[in-house]
């Protein structure tokens, strides 16, 4: 089995309190974690977003995050713009298979991400050992 796309997280890192941004986003995205990060970047928020499409695709989730950020009020958008780092991290579970996995992010989506100053990252997780070794 090739690598399997799991999720897309949006991480926001700031030296300003992100609570107003977190409050405005509310339930439009699932807040996985918020709080202290480092002395240099004391505030962070990590989100996942749901999508109605199945199967979930990286580009669909990226576009949902872009829609969310573009819809923010001026004060929350200012807080977003002043944050020091914004990253969408695409998570994949890898396998020992040599099969190839290919996902595509279009130029239009990359332009939207760039306008919002969002970096793109990938995280590759080892296979879930429980699914590899089922009990009999």
């Amino acid at each position: 089995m090739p690598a399997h796309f799991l999720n897309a997280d949006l991480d926001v890192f700031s030296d300003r309190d992100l609570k107003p941004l977190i409050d405005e986003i509310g339930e439009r995205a699932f807040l996985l974690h918020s709080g202290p990060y480092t002395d240099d970047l004391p505030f962070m928020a990590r989100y996942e977003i749901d999508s109605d499409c199945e199967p979930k695709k990286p580009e669909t989730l990226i576009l949902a995050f872009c829609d969310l950020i573009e819809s923010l009020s001026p004060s929350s958008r200012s807080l977003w713009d002043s944050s020091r780092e914004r990253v969408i991290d695409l998570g994949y579970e890898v396998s020992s298979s040599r099969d190839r996995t290919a996902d595509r992010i279009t130029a239009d989506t990359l332009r939207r991400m760039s306008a919002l100053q969002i970096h793109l990252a990938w995280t590759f997780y080892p296979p879930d050992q429980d699914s590899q070794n089922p009990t009999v």
Side-chain angles (χ1 to χ4, degrees):
M1 179 173 128
H4 172 72
F5 175 68
L6 298 172
N7 61 4
D9 293 343
L10 173 64
D11 297 334
V12 184
F13 303 94
S14 181
D15 51 9
R16 293 174 54 196
D17 188 353
L18 293 171
K19 183 154 177 28
L21 178 69
I22 291 167
D23 288 345
E24 182 170 338
I25 290 174
E27 294 184 11
R28 296 188 289 164
F30 181 70
L31 181 64
L32 295 170
H33 176 76
S34 68
Y37 189 65
T38 65
D39 289 341
D40 188 41
L41 290 169
F43 300 99
M44 69 89 59
R46 174 169 291 144
Y47 284 97
E48 276 189 359
I49 199 162
D50 201 7
S51 172
D52 293 333
C53 78
E54 288 295 333
K56 294 187 183 344
K57 297 188 179 279
E59 184 155 29
T60 304
L61 296 174
I62 291 169
L63 290 171
F65 276 126
C66 289
D67 290 343
L68 175 64
I69 300 310
E70 291 165 348
S71 73
L72 292 172
S73 68
S75 62
S76 289
R77 181 57 191 266
S78 176
L79 183 55
W80 168 268
D81 289 340
S82 71
S83 63
R84 298 248 308 270
E85 189 171 349
R86 297 152 299 273
V87 180
I88 291 179
D89 187 347
L90 304 176
Y92 287 83
E93 182 179 64
V94 295
S95 69
S96 58
S97 168
R98 295 186 186 266
D99 292 342
R100 179 178 171 271
T101 295
D103 282 321
R104 171 187 222 164
I105 310 299
T106 65
D108 286 341
T109 298
L110 292 171
R111 276 191 283 279
R112 282 182 75 184
M113 290 179 65
S114 178
L116 295 169
Q117 296 294 301
I118 300 172
H119 299 274
L120 187 58
W122 294 263
T123 298
F124 299 96
Y125 299 97
D128 180 1
Q129 295 302 319
D130 292 336
S131 67
Q132 297 290 318
N133 301 314
T135 57
V136 182

